[in-house]
């Protein structure tokens, strides 16, 4: 059985990471700093990758995506891959966001991904952004800066019950264009208000902010909840929990060097999963393929293809715990609980990539790690979500299994998981990377 102190420490470290990573860009920056601190070398995709035959930790960051691997000295027999995604559903700031009505200044927003809209109402919202700034000395005259505003900056007020008397019986209906623009000040609208705010926060000259990828987040810190602290609540548990577990597992598995001389551990964390993964840095892009090809550039021509044929990918993403208030929405024979163990995710229509052989191998990994496994499948009369497992399996032709930690309130502004679940998932991922 995993050491309870190690499991708890993983949850505490996750809380710090969740608070520091309100966007995919911040998540990659935090994880990259952790890799650098462990002595891993960051590579530039636009530069020549020298030292391909020198063993050591390597990683690349492409905007909101990150790929890390242990470079082998000789061609590898197999790869042990972990995949996850860095993005979460949220509200994104429009290019011309400044608007208002009734003496309030508001920000125009667009919904990103499958958001539980009502969960964003009446919360204190901060801002996370990657901002494009004018810089004559930078390539193309533009550099980017990360910004994290952790104070209560905006608020989306729900209509008072006095003005919507039957809302509790009829249910809340929100129009994405009309009802979600947050208030962030009083007074008249300033057409450059948001840009001016960014310039002030970044300390740059007026007119130097050119564009932004900006989004809102709940500023409430991650916290242990329950009378015994057995649950963990935060924004972005889906899927930063898996990203944190993947890098933790990678660093643990390689702390004394490569686990095996002929097996390469790889972690791929992709942006844009929540909107379909079709982008230059999504799981349906060539990012991972290109990195692996460059990693194996000095190998014999068919060595990478042979290695992939003997490889296994664990695609790690959140799994639905059984909601006790809506137990009928879950398959009765596939109940999933928090603090029990990682979840194997099944779907015969290939929304998840798990098959019998992969599930069998992961079962043995769980036994080696001393953790229990749970099984999830949707009710046959409810559509099933998907994740990066099938996409990565299709692009690489690699055997893949979808796993994840159990959670509640998936895609809400604030989600919940078991306090033991991050650590239990990490133990499974370590066992995966250490396997031959």
């Amino acid at each position: 059985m995993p050491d309870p102190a190690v499991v708890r420490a993983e949850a505490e470290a996750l809380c710090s990471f969740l608070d520091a990573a309100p966007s995919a860009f911040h998540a990659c920056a935090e994880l990259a700093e952790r890799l650098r601190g462990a002595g891993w070398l960051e590579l530039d995709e636009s530069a020549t990758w020298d030292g391909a035959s020198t063993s050591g930790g390597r990683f690349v960051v492409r905007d909101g995506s990150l790929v890390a691997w242990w470079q082998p000295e000789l061609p590898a027999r197999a790869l042990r891959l972990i995949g996850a995604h860095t993005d979460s559903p949220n509200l994104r700031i429009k290019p011309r966001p400044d608007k208002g009505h009734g003496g309030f200044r508001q920000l125009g927003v667009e919904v990103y991904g499958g958001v539980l809209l009502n969960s964003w109402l009446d919360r204190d919202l901060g801002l996370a952004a990657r901002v494009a700034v004018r810089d004559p000395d930078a390539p193309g005259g533009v550099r980017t800066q990360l910004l994290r505003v952790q104070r209560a900056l905006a608020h989306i007020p729900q209509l008072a019950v006095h003005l919507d008397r039957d809302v509790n019986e009829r249910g809340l209906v929100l129009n994405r264009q009309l009802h979600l623009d947050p208030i962030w000040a009083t007074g008249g609208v300033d057409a450059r208000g948001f840009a001016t705010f960014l310039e002030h926060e970044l300390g740059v000259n007026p007119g130097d902010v050119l564009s932004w990828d900006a989004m809102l987040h709940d500023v409430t810190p991650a916290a242990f909840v329950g009378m015994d602290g057995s649950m963990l609540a935060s924004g972005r548990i889906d899927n930063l929990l898996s990203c944190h577990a993947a890098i933790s597992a990678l660093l643990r598995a390689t702390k004394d060097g490569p686990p095996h001389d002929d097996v390469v551990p790889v972690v791929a964390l992709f942006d844009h999963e929540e909107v379909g993964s079709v982008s230059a840095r999504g799981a349906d892009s060539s990012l991972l393929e290109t990195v692996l090809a460059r990693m194996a550039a000095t190998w014999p021509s068919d060595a990478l293809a042979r290695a992939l044929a003997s490889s296994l990918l664990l695609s790690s993403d959140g799994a639905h715990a059984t909601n006790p208030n809506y137990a009928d929405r879950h398959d009765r024979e596939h109940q999933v609980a928090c603090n029990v163990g990682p979840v194997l995710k099944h779907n015969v229509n290939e929304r998840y990539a798990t098959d019998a052989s992969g599930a069998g191998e992961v079962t043995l990994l769980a036994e080696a790690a001393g953790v229990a496994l749970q099984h999830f499948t949707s009710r046959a009369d409810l559509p099933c979500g998907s994740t990066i497992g099938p996409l990565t399996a299709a692009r690489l032709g690699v055997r893949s299994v979808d796993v994840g930690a159990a959670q509640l309130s998936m895609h809400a502004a604030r989600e919940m998981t078991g306090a033991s679940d991050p650590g239990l998932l990490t133990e499974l991922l370590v066992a995966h990377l250490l396997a031959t």
Side-chain angles (χ1 to χ4, degrees):
M1 293 293 293
D3 184 342
V6 173
V7 170
R8 187 68 176 190
E10 183 68 18
E12 291 171 351
L14 173 63
C15 287
S16 297
F17 174 61
L18 290 167
D19 290 344
S23 78
F25 308 113
H26 291 81
C28 287
E30 290 290 319
L31 296 173
E33 187 61 29
R34 188 175 176 188
L35 289 167
R36 290 189 204 98
W40 288 52
L41 176 64
E42 182 173 7
L43 300 178
D44 182 348
E45 286 194 88
S46 66
T48 300
W49 289 3
D50 295 323
S53 61
T54 303
S55 179
R58 308 282 194 273
F59 71 96
V60 298
V61 176
R62 184 185 291 181
D63 301 319
S65 297
L66 182 152
V67 181
W69 70 97
W70 190 272
Q71 180 71 39
E73 293 184 358
L74 298 172
R77 173 182 55 83
L79 284 65
R80 309 294 292 189
L81 301 106
I82 300 171
H85 69 87
T86 57
D87 61 322
S88 301
N90 58 21
L91 303 179
R92 304 281 173 115
I93 308 298
K94 290 181 176 180
R96 298 178 65 184
D98 295 285
K99 60 192 304 185
H101 192 76
F104 293 103
R105 294 173 63 180
Q106 295 174 272
L107 295 173
V109 298
E110 186 172 3
V111 175
Y112 176 87
V115 174
L116 271 175
L117 299 178
N118 66 294
S119 70
W120 287 80
L121 304 181
D122 301 320
R123 291 184 180 271
D124 294 331
L125 302 176
L127 181 78
R130 180 182 66 161
V131 185
V133 178
R134 190 190 312 274
D135 185 348
D137 297 325
V142 178
R143 61 179 167 84
T144 59
Q145 287 184 235
L146 293 186
L147 174 65
R148 179 169 71 107
V149 180
Q150 196 60 18
R151 65 185 183 272
L153 181 69
H155 195 92
I156 306 173
Q158 186 171 183
L159 186 63
V161 69
H162 313 77
L163 305 177
D164 194 5
R165 292 286 184 178
D166 61 347
V167 63
N168 292 320
E169 289 71 36
R170 171 180 50 82
L172 180 65
V173 178
L174 296 171
N175 182 288
R176 297 177 178 221
Q177 176 69 19
L178 302 177
H179 301 147
L180 295 178
D181 292 335
I183 293 171
W184 77 316
T186 58
V189 176
D190 177 356
R192 287 201 79 254
F194 185 68
T196 300
F197 172 81
L198 293 180
E199 289 160 358
H200 179 268
E201 290 292 317
L202 293 172
V204 301
N205 294 326
D208 279 356
V209 164
L210 304 173
S211 188
W212 51 79
D213 297 309
M215 58 209 74
L216 300 172
H217 64 276
D218 182 2
V219 299
T220 307
F224 294 105
V225 299
M227 67 175 187
D228 54 358
S230 62
M231 302 298 295
L232 191 161
S234 175
R236 304 172 300 284
I237 288 174
D238 175 17
N239 186 34
L240 292 188
L241 185 160
S242 293
C243 295
H244 187 267
I247 296 299
S248 293
L250 182 64
L251 293 178
R252 280 177 55 183
T254 59
K255 62 182 174 62
D256 298 320
H260 309 285
D261 291 336
D262 60 349
V263 178
V264 178
V266 181
V267 167
L269 310 177
F270 298 104
D271 198 356
H272 293 154
E273 187 273 346
E274 298 293 358
V275 292
S277 295
V278 182
S279 71
R281 58 183 184 266
D284 203 22
S285 73
S286 62
L287 171 59
L288 181 55
E289 295 171 76
T290 299
V291 168
L292 294 180
R294 297 183 73 176
M295 176 197 75
T298 62
W299 299 4
S301 59
D302 65 342
L304 179 58
R306 287 188 283 113
L308 287 171
S310 300
S311 300
L312 177 66
L313 164 74
L314 293 194
S315 163
S316 182
D317 200 352
H320 293 291
T322 301
N323 189 315
N325 292 329
Y326 301 89
D328 62 312
R329 305 294 285 181
H330 304 266
D331 188 276
R332 187 167 55 184
E333 285 71 46
H334 295 85
Q335 303 289 291
V336 172
C338 291
N339 290 326
V340 171
V343 183
L344 265 176
K345 297 154 65 172
H346 305 262
N347 182 260
V348 297
N349 294 303
E350 293 299 314
R351 302 294 287 171
Y352 301 129
T354 308
D355 64 7
S357 62
E361 186 166 344
V362 174
T363 298
L364 295 182
L365 292 175
E367 290 179 359
V371 300
L373 273 184
Q374 305 183 81
H375 294 266
F376 171 82
T377 187
S378 288
R379 283 178 52 123
D381 56 353
L382 288 178
C384 177
S386 189
T387 183
I388 66 168
L391 293 174
T392 312
R395 291 204 67 96
L396 295 181
V398 67
R399 195 158 44 95
S400 303
V401 176
D402 278 294
V403 301
Q407 69 173 95
L408 295 167
S409 303
M410 191 179 290
H411 287 196
R414 194 166 176 84
E415 302 165 323
M416 190 162 68
T417 188
S420 297
D421 287 316
L424 295 176
L425 176 63
T426 302
E427 295 297 326
L428 176 64
L429 297 182
V430 170
H432 168 58
L433 294 180
L434 292 178
T436 59

